[in-house]
Amino acid sequence: MSDWKFMARQLVKNPLSLAGIIIISIFVIIAIFAPLIAPPPEGHLDHYMIPRDGYSATPKLPSEEHIFGTTEGQYDIFYGVIWGTRSAFRVGLVVIGIVLVTGILLGSLAGYFGGIIDEVIMRITDIFLAFPALILAMAIVAALGPSLRSVMIALTVVSWPSYARLIRGDILQVREEDYIEASRGIGASNFRVIMRHALPNAIYPTLVMASLDIGAVVLTAAALSFLGLGAPEGYADWGQLTSFARNWIVGPSSDPLRYWFAVTIPGLFILFFVLGWNLLGDAFRDILDPRLARR
Amino acid sequence: MGNLIRIRDLTVRFYTYEGVVHAIDDLDLDIRQGETLGIVGETGSGKTMTALAILRLIPYPGRIESGSIVFFDRDLHSEIELLKLSEDKMRSIRGNKISMVFQEPGAALNPVYTIGDQISEVFLLHQRRELGKRANKQVDRLLRDGDGLAASIKRPFWHWQKRLYNKIAQESNPFEPRFLSHVPLFRRLLWRLKNESKLLTVDMLKDVEIPDAARVAVHYPHELSGGMKQRAVIAMALACSPELLIADEPTTSLDVTIQAQMLELFRRIKVEKGASVLFITHNLGVASEVCDRVAVMYAGSLCEVASVEELFLHPSHPYTKALLDSVPMPGKELQTIPGALADPLNPPSGCRFHPRCPSATPVCQQEKAKLKEISKDHMVACHLF
Amino acid sequence: MELRSYIIRRLLFLIPVLFGVTIFIFGITMLFSPIERASLYVTDARQMTNIPQLIETYGLDQPFWVQYGNWISEVFSGNLGWSRVVGMPVGDAIWAFLPATLELSIFATPIIILMGIFLGTKAAAHKDRPLDHGTRVMAIFGWSLPTFWLGLILMMVFYGYFTGLLPPSRLSIPMELVVNSASFIRYTHINTIDAILNLKGAVFLDALRHLILPVITLSVTQVAFIMRLMRSSMLESLGKGYILTARAKGLSERVVVNKHARRNALIPVITVAGYVFAGMVNGVVITETIFTYKGLGWWAWQSAVRLDIASVLGFALFNSVLFVLVNLVVDILYTRVDPRVRLGGVMQ
């Protein structure tokens, strides 16, 4: 496990990945302490639904009561972005978790056994990869009916094939190496060989991809929500909060930037969340990629 | 015969994350006109870095700290301090007066350009005037022999070409051709230069004994064998008849039979072209076959320089002796040098070799020995002398 | 000759993929009731009033394979269903919205490719110097930007703050009238090209003004992607032996970088052109939605929001076919750029 220690040290040493770690830590803290940072009003049943302060369409400027102001429909932006952090983590981690399990399972089956199993699994990934991701996700969400759950299903469906392929490729490469031959030579079972030898070596690139993909998944989920194909109205979700501001990008002619807060703040949360994961994933890759390693 | 290259107090360091690497320390070395000088040493002893320092191509994060490298230009009959030259001037020397052949012919050739393209590039770069003259002759021939309708239509164009190539062939580089060669589409108007360079390329390939040279010129590197690639690389290095050819382990990655052919080629080059050769190798046998003099390097510093016979008959530096003893020979017990190669990050104090030296004295730990002439043309850097 | 047989082989190879794609798409429709699915078979507005008869004709209560057979034969005869959003057959809708999207890509694609390659080359040539750090941070930011948010911010500034400077939609109303007048011949339905062909400078400038923000929005992420890839690819190529050879020849740094290193570095970049295409299709949906730029993406969004399933699936099918073809072109291009690749070698 000194590998992990080495990696941790490298991650902290690099300013970019350190920034990524700090950003993600802040978001983790926000997500955990959401009920303390933005306490739901009394009698509020579903904490993930943003409390409203009236029904007027026009956003209200930041004030004591609403520190980030309210957006269209008087949804409190501060409450929305704080609880939206939880939604973002949920979408990102659940989708990537399921995708990792499916990808690793199918990829290692295909890579290790080869032959007909490999052929079938790879042709199935071909079909899934024949669509641009957002389009397929849109179609699936439209078919299942817009909801956060549909978004998560859609994102899982569009993401698993690349993981299966990556794992398969790595296992094919590892399988050729001598020590796998050797362990089979001494009578280790197929399952044991996969678990003990092939997977641990193929896993690093997959983890890099996963950390980069958490950002991408959250981004796509936000885009779907923005397009009106995600969370139900009023659900704490960054993409939806941004879409509430769509009609308010231009203020009255005396003050064209009057509603800047409604447009800017939710987007900044998305940007920094994705940035955090990308910084981390990038540094991760630099450390793991021996070709880019600094001598 | 005078010196072609005179290196004095050359120091090269690499500034890495782990610390400062002393790649070359206070190196003094001469390369004489028309000789083949071998540099022998283990991996990491600074042989290649010495060669790259002469071309001023030390890779990042390395730097030439101090010293001087003087090059005697036969055409200009003057001495040039290479380390003080502007980058532009230095470029006109690289590949032209000093050129280099690298260890791995496969890696040294660009996989996406043909052999011919890569060699003619050298002519187009350094021999523009010569190419201009040759193109001019071509146009002259057309003007003289051309008749019929087509020729009379083309005649004005030929006259314009003649003027153009005349300008190129002149001493200075006037505006018109310079402008043309920098604008993508107009560059084609100078196609005769390219044509001439292709002809020269084929001649060059024939010169290094490549069969079917015209066909090989349009091949990509991956379509040739290792030996052919190395010949092409040598052709590239010899294109402008350099005064110094640096060969960095040119035979190491080749089959033994091809190695012998390659050594023969180098011997012929030296005789025919009158060029000096700096031959870098870790193989003493190879060095003894092609070199006139041999320099032995250890951990970035020079141990001993002598003529081949002298070095092999009377090795004086303890490291040279150990090196010669470790050459496997039938009927002789194989010896190894005790200890490990000096750590370049923390080189030993004083003489670099003292921790492994059987005859080390206390002074070896403190002071580095200067190079001393112990007999004619035999220099040793050791406190024993 | 070799190339032609290779293309034919690759096209044959596409058949099973497209077969799978259609099964998958049709599988999605099975999530709907026969009544909703009926819109997949409609060819004109009148039929929409007579759904039960459609269910009867196309056997929408039959087993999956029978339905699939019926559907696929409809698709092959050019019937992709009825788009409720715009009130015309899906095939016609794709044809009608394509020029707008094409116009957007005509401007965005060169920017993406040239900027990405240029910035990536520059960053690699200045490795670990301020320029490199700057572009690197910019690239990570660009890659993390939510496209829809970027579009809104750009509009807030260039449409709101600088009142009406760069407006949304495709054309302003007066120019719309010019374009739709009888004397203006719509050769291509691509506004900028038609404007040039009709010698209408005002229309051209107006169309260009409406294009600037969408093109920027569409390009930023992709430029960041290509730039990052190009940088690492250039760094790898700059470390190769042939670069040292090129320098030892006496070539200037400019030629070494722009000729010897770049040509090699482009090879891996070309292999991801398919991803860039997919990224652009994703971006087009979002960009056109934000700027109410009425092209394919806008239409797809409208259809998805209004659960117009025939349009969404028709669009998905259209894109997957296009995507697969783009990947084929990329593979062919790849064999042209890298002399080491033999045509047969790309196939497994």
Side-chain angles (χ1 to χ4, degrees):
Chain A
M1 285 295 111
S2 67
D3 253 14
W4 290 101
K5 228 187 217 165
F6 169 78
M7 204 177 312
R9 203 174 314 132
Q10 292 287 310
L11 283 174
V12 178
K13 239 167 58 181
N14 181 337
L16 286 184
S17 61
L18 187 63
I21 291 174
I22 291 173
I23 291 173
I24 293 168
S25 310
I26 292 174
F27 276 110
V28 169
I29 292 169
I30 291 177
I32 292 173
F33 294 107
L36 296 177
I37 301 169
E42 272 178 51
H44 196 61
L45 288 178
D46 188 348
H47 292 180
Y48 284 95
M49 298 306 282
I50 310 171
R52 310 178 74 160
D53 188 10
Y55 293 89
S56 150
T58 323
K60 277 211 206 83
L61 298 189
S63 62
E64 288 273 294
E65 199 186 341
H66 306 289
I67 47 176
F68 286 164
T70 61
T71 188
E72 187 178 271
Q74 302 312 310
Y75 292 102
D76 184 61
I77 296 178
F78 182 71
Y79 190 94
V81 291
I82 297 296
W83 285 81
T85 311
R86 283 190 168 193
S87 315
F89 270 114
R90 201 167 64 184
V91 171
L93 296 179
V94 168
V95 169
I96 291 299
I98 298 174
V99 159
L100 271 179
V101 172
T102 344
I104 288 174
L105 202 69
L106 293 175
S108 40
L109 282 180
Y112 192 78
F113 292 107
I116 192 89
I117 300 178
D118 182 28
E119 195 62 23
V120 168
I121 294 177
M122 283 306 108
R123 291 299 79 80
I124 293 175
T125 61
D126 273 346
I127 292 164
F128 281 82
L129 289 173
F131 295 93
L134 186 71
I135 306 307
L136 182 56
M138 263 171 78
I140 293 173
V141 173
L144 294 176
S147 76
L148 212 56
R149 206 182 51 128
S150 314
V151 168
M152 275 151 62
I153 293 174
L155 289 175
T156 311
V157 169
V158 300
S159 313
W160 74 269
S162 9
Y163 284 83
R165 296 207 136 187
L166 186 71
I167 290 272
R168 168 188 176 260
D170 282 333
I171 287 191
L172 280 186
Q173 215 170 38
V174 172
R175 206 171 63 161
E176 301 302 314
E177 309 216 2
D178 293 339
Y179 60 94
I180 296 279
E181 277 304 313
S183 62
R184 240 186 314 202
I186 58 171
S189 71
N190 280 339
F191 178 74
R192 205 183 138 74
V193 171
I194 290 191
M195 288 311 289
R196 295 280 314 218
H197 299 283
L199 263 187
N201 283 286
I203 208 84
Y204 285 121
T206 318
L207 288 181
V208 172
M209 187 154 139
S211 71
L212 284 170
D213 253 11
I214 290 183
V217 161
V218 170
L219 209 53
T220 317
L224 285 169
S225 273
F226 175 82
L227 293 173
L229 291 169
E233 192 184 327
Y235 196 87
D237 177 279
W238 296 333
Q240 194 184 54
L241 276 175
T242 315
S243 80
F244 280 145
R246 265 193 76 188
N247 295 325
W248 304 97
I249 46 176
V250 181
S253 55
S254 58
D255 183 9
L257 297 184
R258 187 179 170 87
Y259 305 118
W260 65 272
F261 55 93
V263 185
T264 318
I265 291 170
L268 281 178
F269 272 76
I270 306 175
L271 170 62
F272 277 98
F273 189 85
V274 179
L275 187 67
W277 286 107
N278 279 350
L279 286 171
L280 197 63
D282 230 32
F284 220 22
R285 184 176 47 192
D286 281 2
I287 293 166
L288 289 176
D289 193 342
R291 284 176 312 172
L292 294 175
R294 293 180 164 160
R295 276 141 293 177
Chain B
M1 281 269 206
N3 287 335
L4 181 68
I5 292 270
R6 195 173 65 229
I7 302 173
R8 288 291 175 269
D9 302 324
L10 181 71
T11 303
V12 174
R13 292 199 179 127
F14 279 71
Y15 295 86
T16 65
Y17 284 91
E18 283 81 17
V20 182
V21 175
H22 298 253
I24 300 177
D25 261 325
D26 292 327
L27 181 87
D28 293 350
L29 188 64
D30 296 327
I31 304 172
R32 296 176 190 162
Q33 305 240 5
E35 77 166 348
T36 300
L37 173 68
I39 300 187
V40 179
E42 291 161 80
T43 311
S45 58
K47 298 167 293 183
T48 303
M49 283 307 142
T50 309
L52 290 177
I54 295 173
L55 283 167
R56 274 182 37 194
L57 285 175
I58 300 284
Y60 180 85
R63 234 171 40 207
I64 298 178
E65 281 307 301
S66 58
S68 93
I69 300 176
V70 173
F71 170 69
F72 182 79
D73 191 321
R74 263 191 298 189
D75 299 340
L76 302 175
H77 255 279
S78 65
E79 291 190 333
I80 302 169
E81 169 56 81
L82 293 181
L83 297 186
K84 294 208 176 85
L85 227 48
S86 73
E87 184 56 32
D88 267 354
K89 287 262 170 55
M90 192 64 218
R91 272 206 299 272
S92 67
I93 288 182
R94 282 183 207 135
N96 186 14
K97 309 222 152 144
I98 305 176
S99 61
M100 186 155 172
V101 173
F102 295 92
Q103 185 168 356
E104 278 278 347
L109 290 166
N110 195 330
V112 298
Y113 293 105
T114 60
I115 302 287
D117 276 344
Q118 295 184 57
I119 298 176
S120 58
E121 204 175 19
V122 184
F123 289 115
L124 286 166
L125 188 69
H126 296 299
Q127 307 244 11
R128 245 174 106 78
R129 233 180 283 156
E130 175 64 26
L131 293 176
K133 271 180 211 154
R134 293 174 65 122
N136 216 4
K137 271 187 205 137
Q138 285 292 328
V139 181
D140 272 342
R141 200 165 308 141
L142 281 173
L143 283 169
R144 198 180 61 230
D145 302 339
D147 51 10
L149 184 64
S152 58
I153 293 170
K154 284 183 186 163
R155 207 159 282 266
F157 185 60
W158 286 339
H159 278 292
W160 175 72
Q161 279 191 341
K162 188 172 160 51
R163 222 186 60 220
L164 197 66
Y165 291 123
N166 245 333
K167 278 184 184 170
I168 291 171
Q170 275 159 15
E171 293 291 309
S172 60
N173 198 358
F175 174 73
E176 195 179 351
R178 213 173 52 209
F179 170 78
L180 287 179
S181 59
H182 277 99
V183 182
L185 275 174
F186 289 143
R187 211 176 286 159
R188 305 217 171 153
L189 289 173
L190 298 170
W191 61 275
R192 274 180 208 282
L193 287 186
K194 213 163 188 182
N195 242 18
E196 293 303 324
S197 74
K198 292 228 167 99
L199 294 176
L200 287 176
T201 300
V202 173
D203 287 347
M204 208 61 235
L205 287 173
K206 279 183 192 147
D207 222 31
V208 292
E209 294 154 17
I210 288 183
D212 213 355
R215 219 166 47 86
V216 168
V218 295
H219 276 349
Y220 287 98
H222 73 278
E223 297 167 317
L224 302 182
S225 69
M228 280 298 152
K229 276 187 252 188
Q230 191 60 293
R231 283 174 196 274
V233 172
I234 293 169
M236 194 190 298
L238 291 177
C240 298
S241 322
E243 289 168 41
L244 175 63
L245 175 69
I246 302 171
D248 184 5
E249 311 227 9
T251 58
T252 310
S253 65
L254 303 175
D255 289 345
V256 183
T257 44
I258 310 225
Q259 270 189 25
Q261 293 174 13
M262 215 50 76
L263 295 181
E264 187 52 47
L265 180 65
F266 272 102
R267 237 172 282 152
R268 217 198 71 212
I269 288 165
K270 197 189 78 178
V271 174
E272 283 178 14
K273 311 262 171 183
S276 302
V277 179
L278 180 62
F279 199 96
I280 298 170
T281 179
H282 63 265
N283 187 334
L284 286 167
V286 168
S288 70
E289 268 187 59
V290 284
C291 300
D292 302 319
R293 289 195 310 144
V294 176
V296 180
M297 277 185 86
Y298 179 78
S301 37
L302 199 62
C303 300
E304 185 164 8
V305 193
S307 67
V308 174
E309 300 82 28
E310 176 76 11
L311 192 89
F312 282 83
L313 291 176
H314 310 291
S316 303
H317 196 283
Y319 177 64
T320 317
K321 284 181 189 163
L323 206 57
L324 284 172
D325 282 341
S326 65
V327 175
M329 255 183 257
K332 194 194 81 174
E333 201 183 321
L334 189 64
Q335 307 244 317
T336 53
I337 307 178
L341 191 63
D343 177 7
L345 280 170
N346 285 306
S349 60
C351 174
R352 290 289 142 84
F353 189 60
H354 83 256
R356 303 169 78 181
C357 183
S359 34
T361 58
V363 73
C364 297
Q365 286 181 33
Q366 281 138 30
E367 231 179 290
K368 217 180 139 178
K370 291 254 162 25
L371 213 55
K372 279 187 284 269
E373 187 158 21
I374 56 165
S375 61
K376 190 175 180 302
D377 275 353
H378 189 158
M379 318 269 281
V380 180
C382 182
H383 290 296
L384 296 176
F385 299 92
Chain C
M1 198 55 220
E2 199 190 357
L3 183 67
R4 206 167 76 190
S5 69
Y6 171 72
I7 292 175
I8 290 169
R9 257 163 59 202
R10 282 296 306 264
L11 284 173
L12 287 176
F13 187 65
L14 289 185
I15 291 172
V17 172
L18 290 177
F19 176 65
V21 163
T22 51
I23 288 200
F24 182 56
I25 284 188
F26 195 71
I28 292 178
T29 69
M30 296 308 278
L31 293 166
F32 291 88
S33 67
I35 298 172
E36 288 170 293
R37 252 185 291 138
S39 66
L40 285 169
Y41 302 90
V42 173
T43 46
D44 64 65
R46 215 179 45 246
Q47 285 181 322
M48 285 299 279
T49 56
N50 200 359
I51 298 293
Q53 202 214 318
L54 277 170
I55 295 178
E56 181 74 17
T57 334
Y58 292 104
L60 295 185
D61 35 16
Q62 300 274 311
F64 180 82
W65 290 107
V66 177
Q67 292 195 37
Y68 175 76
N70 286 336
W71 177 71
I72 200 81
S73 62
E74 286 294 308
V75 168
F76 271 114
S77 60
N79 176 16
L80 285 167
W82 183 258
S83 169
R84 266 192 286 126
V85 172
V86 287
M88 57 169 108
V90 170
D92 294 0
I94 290 176
W95 195 240
F97 283 115
L98 186 61
T101 303
L102 220 50
E103 178 159 36
L104 204 53
S105 352
I106 287 171
F107 283 89
T109 310
I111 290 181
I112 291 168
I113 294 171
L114 296 179
M115 283 273 283
I117 289 173
F118 175 78
L119 288 175
T121 312
K122 274 269 176 278
H126 293 82
K127 182 174 187 281
D128 286 337
R129 273 179 272 167
L131 185 91
D132 179 34
H133 291 307
T135 41
R136 215 174 158 194
V137 170
M138 255 170 49
I140 296 185
F141 257 95
W143 187 233
S144 310
L145 266 181
T147 317
F148 52 93
W149 183 68
L150 174 69
L152 291 184
I153 298 286
L154 286 175
M155 249 206 297
M156 189 166 87
V157 175
F158 292 102
Y159 183 55
Y161 187 72
F162 301 102
T163 313
L165 181 66
L166 301 172
S169 84
R170 277 187 82 190
L171 282 176
S172 53
I173 290 159
M175 294 306 150
E176 194 92 39
L177 292 176
V178 175
V179 167
N180 288 329
S181 65
S183 61
F184 191 92
I185 308 164
R186 310 293 316 251
Y187 298 97
T188 58
H189 286 267
I190 293 172
N191 288 340
T192 41
I193 294 178
D194 283 353
I196 293 172
L197 294 177
N198 283 291
L199 301 174
K200 290 271 195 272
V203 175
F204 180 76
L205 288 179
D206 190 61
L208 217 53
R209 199 157 67 109
H210 286 78
L211 270 167
I212 292 174
L213 291 188
V215 166
I216 292 175
T217 310
L218 188 57
S219 309
V220 167
T221 322
Q222 304 304 323
V223 169
F225 175 65
I226 296 204
M227 202 210 102
R228 260 167 30 146
L229 192 69
M230 187 68 193
R231 176 180 176 271
S232 59
S233 174
M234 273 297 280
L235 284 182
E236 200 183 325
S237 158
L238 279 171
K240 290 278 170 67
Y242 52 79
I243 295 299
L244 194 58
T245 311
R247 288 197 177 120
K249 276 184 201 173
L251 292 173
S252 68
E253 198 56 24
R254 198 171 53 89
V255 178
V256 171
V257 170
N258 292 349
K259 185 177 171 192
H260 285 270
R262 183 141 77 194
R263 178 78 181 266
N264 282 282
L266 278 177
I267 294 169
V269 174
I270 285 171
T271 58
V272 300
Y275 287 97
V276 173
F277 171 79
M280 271 183 75
V281 172
N282 295 344
V284 156
V285 174
I286 293 165
T287 308
E288 291 186 356
T289 303
I290 300 166
F291 293 98
T292 42
Y293 188 95
K294 294 185 182 170
L296 282 174
W298 178 83
W299 169 67
W301 169 65
Q302 283 283 317
S303 313
V305 176
R306 297 210 214 151
L307 302 183
D308 177 352
I309 197 66
S311 308
V312 175
L313 294 182
F315 182 64
L317 187 61
F318 172 73
N319 268 304
S320 71
V321 172
L322 208 59
F323 190 27
V324 167
L325 289 177
V326 164
N327 278 328
L328 173 64
V329 173
V330 166
D331 282 352
I332 293 168
L333 211 62
Y334 183 62
T335 63
R336 302 281 97 175
V337 178
D338 189 347
R340 283 163 299 181
V341 175
R342 292 284 181 84
L343 284 175
V346 182
M347 298 272 292
Q348 49 269 64

